[in-house]
Amino acid sequence: MTLEEGNLHLVNNLPKEWQGLSYRMLLQQNLLEIKITKDNIDVEILEGPAMDVMINGNWQRISPDRKSEVVYN
């Protein structure tokens, strides 16, 4: 996870030994829940307005009523 010019960038870099990682974070006006597994990255806005997030090099529009899920394979 990085922040570049105020934008969230997520890349799946889980260690091979890990099954997954989930956490909540406050970014600007948004409370986000992020879940990363070996197969996907889920981003959900729990509170706040819609926002753009870069997930594995692709911009995704995330809104409170629409969770983003990027699946690998």
Side-chain angles (χ1 to χ4, degrees), residues 10-71:
L10 298 169
V11 177
N12 190 340
N13 287 333
L14 280 179
K16 293 179 183 179
E17 303 81 20
W18 292 20
Q19 295 297 313
L21 170 70
S22 65
Y23 56 95
R24 290 183 178 186
M25 66 178 291
L26 187 59
L27 177 63
Q28 299 165 359
Q29 301 174 32
N30 294 34
L31 176 60
L32 305 174
E33 182 167 54
I34 299 169
K35 297 178 182 176
I36 302 173
T37 67
K38 294 178 183 185
D39 298 323
N40 62 27
I41 296 177
D42 295 329
V43 180
E44 184 174 1
I45 295 177
L46 302 176
E47 294 178 19
M51 65 183 294
D52 294 318
V53 177
M54 171 114 15
I55 302 175
N56 280 344
N58 297 304
W59 286 107
Q60 299 285 322
R61 183 72 172 169
I62 314 296
S63 60
D65 59 342
R66 184 172 162 262
K67 177 172 74 169
S68 175
E69 179 179 11
V70 175
V71 179

